[in-house]
Amino acid sequence: MSAVRPLHATGTSPAAGPASDRPAAGPASGHVAARSGRPARGRRNRWLPPQHGAWAMLLLPFVAAVGVTGPRWLHLPLLGVGLAGYLFSYYALLAVKTGRADRVRPQLLVYGGATALLGVPVLLARPAVLGYVPLYAVLLAVNAGHARLRRERALLNDLASVAQSLLMVFVVGTVAEVAPGDLVGVAAAVGAYLVGTVLYVKTMIRERGSARYRWASLAYHLVALAVAVAAGWGPAVAGVFALLLLRAGILPGRRLTPVRVGLIEMVGTLLVLAAVVARWA
């Protein structure tokens, strides 16, 4: 299973690998990637994707779900599957984009092997998680298609990555033997945040001069706040979405560095996590 990449994607998903608009730090900082289509130089960069925000996007749904369901020992190997699966998908999509699988064969072997090995105890104890495989496959196919066309920054690609990330909420629930229906609110709130971040970060980086994206981001955050109130997600969650609406309305147009954009999103991620766990735990 692959975890998704836009925690704050303005251009591509964690799973989408090769390119991204994320800032260099934090969740929404997640779309800062190697744009050349070649693995970055240096020992570290050959084995770790330069998409820092992807990690926050991967971890937020997982940690939020564990905070609500309560931890189980199987969540540890499941976390390993998510992280190793993301790393495998990054290099696999890089191979799709460049047509040069030989350049990333070591990474594919190591991360693919780690994903399979860590997945064994999860599958043996909870074979029901196999039911999510077709959904991941479809979403990864969307990522692969965009990678092949070199359109990793497309909005649809980002949304496919967000959807991959959110599936982890239900996988965590399945491992904890919690009914999926009990986690719909968690997935909806986290997903509303991640989609909003995709739009917002685009207004700060890749689409900085686009009035269309700015209005789309503002309108989306307004609707998200209304949904949070109408759906009864609680005052804490609604309050966080009100703050997110303010940042979507005030910050675009200001020349913040990607690092600062990422740090702001890191704070937003932590606030969302705390509010979601407090509401549904």
Side-chain angles (χ1 to χ4, degrees):
M1 278 174 269
S2 156
V4 200
R5 179 200 335 189
L7 185 171
H8 306 119
T10 61
T12 198
S13 58
S20 165
D21 293 334
R22 300 182 187 187
S29 72
H31 286 270
V32 175
R35 319 242 181 227
S36 64
R38 297 188 301 269
R41 295 180 179 178
R43 181 181 298 273
R44 181 184 175 207
N45 287 335
R46 284 200 302 268
W47 290 90
L48 290 178
Q51 297 171 344
H52 309 292
W55 300 106
M57 171 191 264
L58 290 167
L59 292 173
L60 175 60
F62 178 88
V63 176
V66 169
V68 171
T69 65
R72 308 289 195 277
W73 75 268
L74 279 173
H75 286 150
L76 285 177
L78 177 63
L79 176 60
V81 170
L83 297 178
Y86 157 60
L87 292 168
F88 175 80
S89 69
Y90 174 88
Y91 290 102
L93 290 168
L94 187 59
V96 170
K97 177 177 181 176
T98 62
R100 295 294 304 275
D102 57 303
R103 292 184 175 179
V104 292
R105 184 171 290 114
Q107 292 89 339
L108 294 176
L109 291 174
V110 170
Y111 293 132
T115 302
L117 184 62
L118 290 165
V120 169
V122 179
L123 291 174
L124 290 177
R126 301 288 188 273
V129 299
L130 286 172
Y132 298 99
V133 171
L135 296 174
Y136 276 106
V138 170
L139 294 169
L140 279 170
V142 174
N143 290 149
H146 283 83
R148 187 63 178 171
L149 297 173
R150 296 177 178 265
R151 297 188 59 198
E152 301 94 330
R153 298 185 185 91
L155 182 60
L156 177 60
N157 194 46
D158 290 342
L159 296 180
S161 295
V162 169
Q164 288 179 60
S165 180
L166 290 177
L167 279 178
M168 184 58 77
V169 171
F170 299 106
V171 177
V172 166
T174 299
V175 166
E177 298 184 304
V178 172
D182 294 340
L183 296 172
V184 169
V186 175
V190 172
Y193 168 59
L194 293 179
V195 172
T197 300
V198 168
L199 294 171
Y200 162 71
V201 175
K202 283 184 180 293
T203 68
M204 300 300 293
I205 302 178
R206 183 61 50 184
E207 302 290 345
R208 180 184 297 168
S210 172
R212 182 183 63 173
Y213 263 99
R214 189 175 301 183
W215 282 109
S217 174
L218 192 59
Y220 174 86
H221 282 85
L222 183 60
V223 171
L225 174 58
V227 169
V229 173
W233 289 351
V237 176
V240 171
F241 275 92
L243 292 175
L244 296 174
L245 172 61
L246 285 176
R247 72 96 155 80
I250 294 174
L251 295 183
R254 300 176 183 273
R255 292 195 167 274
L256 298 179
T257 64
V259 170
R260 289 184 178 179
V261 173
L263 290 174
I264 292 170
E265 286 311 293
M266 184 177 292
V267 173
T269 299
L270 294 175
L271 290 175
V272 169
L273 174 61
V276 166
V277 173
R279 167 63 178 82
W280 280 283

